[in-house]
Amino acid sequence: MKQFRTLLGTVGLSLALLGGAAHAADEVKIGFLVKQAEEPWFQDEWKFAEQAAREKGFKLVKIGVPSGDKVLTAIDNLAAQHAQGFIICVPDVKLGPAVVAKAKQSNLKVMTVDDRLVDGSGKPIEAVPHMGISAYKIGEQVGAALAEEAKKRGWNLAEVGAIRIAYDQLPTAKERTDGAIAALTAAGFPKANIINAPQAKTDTENAFNAANIAITQNPKFKHWLAFGLNDEAVLGAVRAAEGQGAKADNMIGVGIGGSQSALNEFAKNEKTGFFGTVLISPKRHGYETTLNMYEWIKNGKAPEKLILTSGKLMTRDNAAAVKKEMGL
Ligand code: FCA
């Protein structure tokens, strides 16, 4: 009897161990890789991805990937940790074929967020599910807001320069600024007054440098407008204009994003040239993408191939209400 009990105990223990092993292998682990971890937008995406992980009880692995090398190392790292998939915003969309090959080789599911991968000929890789913003349309919202505010202030448009902080190697960035130009010119803004100011990297410092050159080279303008791919781009232009004496009364900047960088600006006691931003949804881009990946891993339900999210103009005056309306 004693022997029998020992035997039962051993069997029970082995079953428990087996169960434990099976459970560890079953554990869902999802990577969330972003190109610029220091940017508030990406911090927000991570925050909402964490929310999904908490709700569903899976593990989220957040990795900053500022270069192609870092992307490949991060994917290796995920494979070594037995993750099953990852969501990525790449530092360069041309890494597309390399990312797809590496994910396949590591047996990891892959989805992209914000910036869509392109193939060798620059075409979007449609096989990889993607959630991005409706870039052109959001750009049009920016352009319309700029034109409306300039008219409201009674500015003579011939005396207004518009700084386009450009990052054309990124398709979503080009679409955003193309949309802004279309809306501006449709509202009667002279195309010749739009100054191209390419930034070397998509951060405030590089936008500041680009805008500084544009302003210095165009002393004929009395007032300024500024737009670009995100809030950081426009903030760079706003700071550059301030440095050259064009403050809130002479500068209208409208960004895209609505994360902390924009909110800080609205919270300042004195108004700045950062007039507004088109608020986009880090919740959809962080929470929803991660949940979609979870469903794909857990239940084999492949995500939609392409989701483009919308935005809403937010200014100092209506920030709280607009954020609430967007569920943020
Ligand atoms: C790109 C930009 C980010 C953000 C995101 C939605 O990745 O670099 O700032 O605008 O699209």
Side-chain angles (χ1 to χ4, degrees):
M1 187 61 190
K2 196 176 166 212
Q3 262 175 352
F4 182 61
R5 235 183 270 145
T6 315
L7 179 68
L8 267 187
T10 315
V11 171
L13 185 66
S14 326
L15 281 177
L17 282 175
L18 268 178
H23 182 254
D26 266 2
E27 191 198 11
V28 174
K29 213 180 251 187
I30 297 173
F32 205 115
L33 281 42
V34 302
K35 63 178 181 180
Q36 268 166 304
E38 72 288 354
E39 192 183 303
W41 165 260
F42 294 109
Q43 292 286 332
D44 283 350
E45 280 187 341
W46 271 352
K47 182 179 87 187
F48 287 113
E50 285 284 12
Q51 187 186 328
R54 271 197 310 278
E55 280 178 24
K56 294 286 176 183
F58 60 85
K59 179 141 183 16
L60 186 78
V61 184
K62 299 176 291 187
I63 311 177
V65 289
S67 68
D69 284 351
K70 290 261 160 50
V71 169
L72 299 180
T73 318
I75 301 175
D76 277 338
N77 186 325
L78 289 172
Q81 296 190 49
H82 303 290
Q84 298 92 344
F86 65 96
I87 295 138
I88 186 168
C89 178
V90 283
D92 179 351
V93 290
K94 291 201 197 76
L95 290 166
V99 169
V100 170
K102 187 87 183 166
K104 197 168 173 203
Q105 176 201 333
S106 314
N107 202 17
L108 288 162
K109 294 185 167 37
V110 56
M111 279 168 61
T112 50
V113 69
D114 305 335
D115 300 354
R116 200 174 188 197
L117 303 176
V118 299
D119 64 18
S121 57
K123 290 210 187 69
I125 301 184
E126 286 171 0
V128 176
H130 176 71
M131 184 186 284
I133 67 167
S134 29
Y136 191 85
K137 183 142 181 276
I138 285 172
E140 286 179 321
Q141 288 170 271
V142 169
L146 289 168
E148 197 188 312
E149 182 63 16
K151 277 188 190 158
K152 213 186 214 170
R153 294 185 186 191
W155 289 356
N156 170 5
L157 296 183
E159 299 172 341
V160 184
I163 305 170
R164 169 188 184 247
I165 301 290
Y167 194 71
D168 288 348
Q169 55 270 58
L170 178 61
T172 181
K174 177 151 194 323
E175 283 167 37
R176 295 174 199 188
T177 51
D178 281 352
I181 291 174
L184 270 174
T185 49
F189 191 82
K191 202 163 191 170
N193 293 10
I194 300 174
I195 303 151
N196 208 38
Q199 58 180 171
K201 275 190 187 169
T202 58
D203 59 18
T204 304
E205 190 189 337
N206 282 278
F208 175 90
N209 294 338
N212 239 339
I213 299 171
I215 299 170
T216 312
Q217 288 179 343
N218 290 279
K220 61 180 180 287
F221 294 121
K222 269 200 189 152
H223 317 283
W224 291 98
L225 308 179
F227 57 99
L229 99 151
N230 58 16
D231 288 336
E232 284 68 23
V234 172
L235 277 172
V238 167
R239 294 289 97 88
E242 278 167 3
Q244 303 207 34
K247 305 217 163 132
D249 287 345
N250 287 309
M251 157 61 97
I252 306 167
V254 175
I256 294 173
S259 292
Q260 203 55 47
S261 335
L263 299 178
N264 287 347
E265 212 53 26
F266 294 153
K268 289 181 175 167
N269 283 336
E270 249 182 73
K271 274 189 190 169
T272 74
F274 191 87
F275 174 76
T277 179
V278 177
L279 176 68
I280 52 178
S281 179
K283 183 164 185 188
R284 294 203 63 193
H285 288 233
Y287 180 86
E288 207 175 299
T289 50
T290 314
L291 267 193
N292 291 349
M293 177 55 83
Y294 176 78
E295 283 296 319
W296 196 8
I297 293 167
K298 192 82 183 163
N299 304 317
K301 187 173 169 262
E304 268 178 61
K305 279 284 171 320
L306 182 63
I307 299 175
L308 297 176
T309 59
S310 61
K312 201 162 171 28
L313 180 70
M314 171 168 96
T315 61
R316 192 178 247 263
D317 301 333
N318 68 7
V322 173
K323 283 198 74 170
K324 201 164 162 210
E325 202 180 305
M326 290 271 284
L328 296 166

